[in-house]
Amino acid sequence: MTLSNGTSDGTIRWGILGTGFIAGLQTQDLNENGFTVQAVGSRSLESSRSFAELHGVMTAHGSYEDLVANPLVDVVYIATPHPFHHANALLALNAGKHVLVEKAFTMNARQAREIVDLAESKGLVALEAMWTRFLPHMVRIRELIQEGTIGEVRKVVASHNQSLPKDPAHRLNDPALGGGALLDLGIYPISFAFDILGAPERILASASMTSTGVDRQTAAIFEYSGGRQALVDCELDAASANRAMVIGTEGYIDIEHTWYNQVPFTVFGVNGEVVERFEEPVKSRGMQYQAAELERLIRAGETAGTILPPSESVAIMAAMDEIRRQIGLSYEADAAGSDGAGSDAVVSEESATK
């Protein structure tokens, strides 16, 4: 097997696995920012051709297997719903392709570890598509914290609440398809807590469940050494302003609605004075930054960066496993050796909340 690391002129070619909403957003950002989208693959050739025509993609494949076998594809973006990420990522990695895997990275830490271990063994990049991590406002927030602008960080507060489809048959409400607020929405504030404070020493979680048996709303306290905390919450049937704060001994950072997008933030001192106002619009939606990081890793011959190393994606899934344990939410994927959705599962490739 030959690894795909781009053309002789350094061009890295992308393949899109899945043709749903999030796949379209990522492909649009790739196209608008000078990346090369070589091919798209779907379980339906008709869907693949429609996507290719809409986004100007050169080649349409009628199966995921054909997409990953395409010798002109170097990176595969996994854009299917999260119950299928594990199998799809392993398929691409075993074909010698680097992968950008949508969030939640997998269904659980075991699956995440298998992806990361396989990628490492093959010298390939497996990057979680937590696009928020790579946005300019998050880069600046990490700089401010490192510089000590707000003193010692004591608390992180972040919410992700949306009013989403309430149909019990919808993917978001179906336990067989990894439904619930936690994996679709909670991944954002949880990843943010990890970004700022790292892995917690202790987690305390509480949830309310839907009639279908998935979490309707979940809240968690992450406890750290020195009394530091992160307060994170998510809900799938009621919307909120979705703001976030990083609170320190010398001030705090207030990130505006909706904090996980490229939005302004303000740094306040202990007396409420404005220390810095950061407002930097970006081209497109902003998903091009995670793609740029993946290409940087490939060109540098590295498999892990510092902004979101694969080991941290595994640790985040482990934290979510612990939350699910506490709230009593389990999935088929938690059974040893299971991919979770079952070979007969039928679900749209669309994943609108990612």
Side-chain angles (χ1 to χ4, degrees), residues 200-225:
E201 295 183 352
R202 185 182 181 214
I203 297 174
L204 302 172
S206 176
S208 297
M209 311 303 281
T210 68
S211 61
T212 60
V214 299
D215 64 310
R216 177 178 63 80
Q217 63 180 52
T218 295
I221 301 173
F222 287 4
E223 296 183 346
Y224 299 84
S225 62

Tab-separated table of all heavy atoms in Angstrom, residues 200-225:
chain	number	residue	atom	x	y	z
A	200	PRO	N	-10.253	16.597	33.000
A	200	PRO	CA	-10.638	16.781	34.404
A	200	PRO	C	-10.216	15.600	35.271
A	200	PRO	O	-10.023	14.490	34.785
A	200	PRO	CB	-12.167	16.881	34.331
A	200	PRO	CG	-12.523	16.066	33.119
A	200	PRO	CD	-11.409	16.292	32.138
A	201	GLU	N	-10.113	15.872	36.569
A	201	GLU	CA	-9.830	14.814	37.518
A	201	GLU	C	-11.105	14.089	37.939
A	201	GLU	O	-11.072	12.912	38.306
A	201	GLU	CB	-9.135	15.387	38.753
A	201	GLU	CG	-7.760	15.965	38.450
A	201	GLU	CD	-7.059	16.468	39.702
A	201	GLU	OE1	-7.707	16.508	40.779
A	201	GLU	OE2	-5.866	16.807	39.612
A	202	ARG	N	-12.236	14.804	37.899
A	202	ARG	CA	-13.498	14.231	38.320
A	202	ARG	C	-14.622	14.865	37.524
A	202	ARG	O	-14.542	16.047	37.172
A	202	ARG	CB	-13.716	14.469	39.817
A	202	ARG	CG	-14.953	13.803	40.404
A	202	ARG	CD	-15.085	14.146	41.877
A	202	ARG	NE	-16.248	13.504	42.489
A	202	ARG	CZ	-16.987	14.030	43.451
A	202	ARG	NH1	-16.681	15.224	43.933
A	202	ARG	NH2	-18.012	13.382	43.966
A	203	ILE	N	-15.653	14.078	37.234
A	203	ILE	CA	-16.809	14.575	36.496
A	203	ILE	C	-18.072	14.268	37.287
A	203	ILE	O	-18.254	13.162	37.797
A	203	ILE	CB	-16.906	13.909	35.101
A	203	ILE	CG1	-15.685	14.268	34.242
A	203	ILE	CG2	-18.194	14.343	34.388
A	203	ILE	CD1	-15.636	13.531	32.923
A	204	LEU	N	-18.941	15.266	37.380
A	204	LEU	CA	-20.255	15.095	37.981
A	204	LEU	C	-21.285	15.481	36.930
A	204	LEU	O	-21.278	16.612	36.445
A	204	LEU	CB	-20.420	15.986	39.213
A	204	LEU	CG	-19.397	15.798	40.338
A	204	LEU	CD1	-19.578	16.880	41.399
A	204	LEU	CD2	-19.544	14.409	40.957
A	205	ALA	N	-22.178	14.547	36.569
A	205	ALA	CA	-23.094	14.791	35.462
A	205	ALA	C	-24.526	14.496	35.847
A	205	ALA	O	-24.814	13.662	36.711
A	205	ALA	CB	-22.701	13.936	34.261
A	206	SER	N	-25.437	15.214	35.182
A	206	SER	CA	-26.869	15.016	35.384
A	206	SER	C	-27.564	15.234	34.048
A	206	SER	O	-27.099	16.023	33.226
A	206	SER	CB	-27.400	15.997	36.428
A	206	SER	OG	-28.801	15.876	36.578
A	207	ALA	N	-28.686	14.530	33.850
A	207	ALA	CA	-29.388	14.660	32.571
A	207	ALA	C	-30.872	14.410	32.739
A	207	ALA	O	-31.327	13.803	33.717
A	207	ALA	CB	-28.813	13.683	31.555
A	208	SER	N	-31.642	14.886	31.758
A	208	SER	CA	-33.040	14.528	31.585
A	208	SER	C	-33.149	13.799	30.255
A	208	SER	O	-32.515	14.202	29.270
A	208	SER	CB	-33.933	15.769	31.577
A	208	SER	OG	-33.877	16.438	32.817
A	209	MET	N	-33.971	12.754	30.212
A	209	MET	CA	-34.007	11.897	29.040
A	209	MET	C	-35.300	12.119	28.244
A	209	MET	O	-36.318	12.573	28.768
A	209	MET	CB	-33.905	10.432	29.457
A	209	MET	CG	-32.776	10.129	30.438
A	209	MET	SD	-31.125	10.615	29.847
A	209	MET	CE	-30.780	9.234	28.754
A	210	THR	N	-35.247	11.773	26.980
A	210	THR	CA	-36.423	11.817	26.116
A	210	THR	C	-37.216	10.521	26.272
A	210	THR	O	-36.749	9.544	26.865
A	210	THR	CB	-36.016	11.961	24.645
A	210	THR	OG1	-35.363	10.747	24.224
A	210	THR	CG2	-35.083	13.134	24.426
A	211	SER	N	-38.393	10.496	25.688
A	211	SER	CA	-39.201	9.277	25.721
A	211	SER	C	-38.558	8.138	24.953
A	211	SER	O	-38.872	6.965	25.176
A	211	SER	CB	-40.599	9.561	25.153
A	211	SER	OG	-40.498	9.993	23.804
A	212	THR	N	-37.618	8.475	24.054
A	212	THR	CA	-36.929	7.441	23.270
A	212	THR	C	-35.688	6.906	23.981
A	212	THR	O	-35.066	5.964	23.502
A	212	THR	CB	-36.516	7.986	21.890
A	212	THR	OG1	-35.638	9.110	22.072
A	212	THR	CG2	-37.726	8.414	21.082
A	213	GLY	N	-35.319	7.534	25.107
A	213	GLY	CA	-34.218	7.011	25.902
A	213	GLY	C	-32.869	7.639	25.674
A	213	GLY	O	-31.849	7.102	26.120
A	214	VAL	N	-32.822	8.794	25.001
A	214	VAL	CA	-31.561	9.514	24.855
A	214	VAL	C	-31.623	10.779	25.711
A	214	VAL	O	-32.684	11.172	26.181
A	214	VAL	CB	-31.261	9.865	23.383
A	214	VAL	CG1	-31.151	8.600	22.547
A	214	VAL	CG2	-32.317	10.802	22.810
A	215	ASP	N	-30.481	11.422	25.909
A	215	ASP	CA	-30.461	12.606	26.765
A	215	ASP	C	-31.038	13.816	26.035
A	215	ASP	O	-30.584	14.186	24.970
A	215	ASP	CB	-29.048	12.891	27.289
A	215	ASP	CG	-28.059	13.240	26.191
A	215	ASP	OD1	-27.986	12.486	25.193
A	215	ASP	OD2	-27.355	14.260	26.323
A	216	ARG	N	-32.046	14.412	26.663
A	216	ARG	CA	-32.656	15.633	26.137
A	216	ARG	C	-31.814	16.839	26.517
A	216	ARG	O	-31.597	17.747	25.723
A	216	ARG	CB	-34.066	15.770	26.699
A	216	ARG	CG	-34.790	17.039	26.298
A	216	ARG	CD	-36.193	17.076	26.862
A	216	ARG	NE	-36.198	17.092	28.325
A	216	ARG	CZ	-35.983	18.185	29.064
A	216	ARG	NH1	-35.723	19.339	28.470
A	216	ARG	NH2	-36.024	18.131	30.366
A	217	GLN	N	-31.355	16.842	27.745
A	217	GLN	CA	-30.440	17.874	28.203
A	217	GLN	C	-29.474	17.252	29.201
A	217	GLN	O	-29.837	16.377	29.970
A	217	GLN	CB	-31.182	19.049	28.834
A	217	GLN	CG	-31.966	18.716	30.097
A	217	GLN	CD	-32.676	19.928	30.654
A	217	GLN	OE1	-33.397	20.609	29.921
A	217	GLN	NE2	-32.477	20.212	31.929
A	218	THR	N	-28.243	17.712	29.152
A	218	THR	CA	-27.198	17.184	30.029
A	218	THR	C	-26.338	18.340	30.522
A	218	THR	O	-26.031	19.260	29.765
A	218	THR	CB	-26.308	16.167	29.286
A	218	THR	OG1	-27.104	15.031	28.932
A	218	THR	CG2	-25.146	15.696	30.150
A	219	ALA	N	-25.990	18.284	31.776
A	219	ALA	CA	-25.070	19.254	32.367
A	219	ALA	C	-23.992	18.497	33.128
A	219	ALA	O	-24.250	17.410	33.670
A	219	ALA	CB	-25.809	20.204	33.301
A	220	ALA	N	-22.792	19.072	33.150
A	220	ALA	CA	-21.701	18.414	33.863
A	220	ALA	C	-20.782	19.443	34.498
A	220	ALA	O	-20.605	20.549	33.972
A	220	ALA	CB	-20.898	17.523	32.919
A	221	ILE	N	-20.232	19.076	35.638
A	221	ILE	CA	-19.166	19.842	36.285
A	221	ILE	C	-17.877	19.040	36.141
A	221	ILE	O	-17.814	17.869	36.533
A	221	ILE	CB	-19.464	20.076	37.779
A	221	ILE	CG1	-20.787	20.824	37.958
A	221	ILE	CG2	-18.318	20.844	38.430
A	221	ILE	CD1	-21.221	20.926	39.405
A	222	PHE	N	-16.875	19.665	35.556
A	222	PHE	CA	-15.538	19.069	35.494
A	222	PHE	C	-14.718	19.672	36.625
A	222	PHE	O	-14.628	20.901	36.739
A	222	PHE	CB	-14.858	19.384	34.161
A	222	PHE	CG	-15.410	18.641	32.976
A	222	PHE	CD1	-16.510	17.803	33.087
A	222	PHE	CD2	-14.811	18.773	31.730
A	222	PHE	CE1	-17.010	17.119	31.993
A	222	PHE	CE2	-15.296	18.086	30.625
A	222	PHE	CZ	-16.397	17.267	30.754
A	223	GLU	N	-14.131	18.846	37.446
A	223	GLU	CA	-13.313	19.309	38.560
A	223	GLU	C	-11.834	19.066	38.273
A	223	GLU	O	-11.452	18.014	37.763
A	223	GLU	CB	-13.723	18.597	39.848
A	223	GLU	CG	-15.145	18.903	40.279
A	223	GLU	CD	-15.507	18.241	41.598
A	223	GLU	OE1	-14.759	17.338	42.043
A	223	GLU	OE2	-16.532	18.633	42.196
A	224	TYR	N	-11.017	20.066	38.634
A	224	TYR	CA	-9.573	20.026	38.395
A	224	TYR	C	-8.831	20.326	39.688
A	224	TYR	O	-9.427	20.778	40.674
A	224	TYR	CB	-9.186	21.062	37.328
A	224	TYR	CG	-9.830	20.860	35.980
A	224	TYR	CD1	-11.108	21.357	35.716
A	224	TYR	CD2	-9.160	20.185	34.965
A	224	TYR	CE1	-11.701	21.182	34.482
A	224	TYR	CE2	-9.742	20.014	33.720
A	224	TYR	CZ	-11.013	20.506	33.483
A	224	TYR	OH	-11.595	20.332	32.260
A	225	SER	N	-7.535	20.130	39.636
A	225	SER	CA	-6.706	20.442	40.797
A	225	SER	C	-6.802	21.926	41.126
A	225	SER	O	-7.054	22.758	40.260
A	225	SER	CB	-5.242	20.070	40.511
A	225	SER	OG	-4.732	20.827	39.426
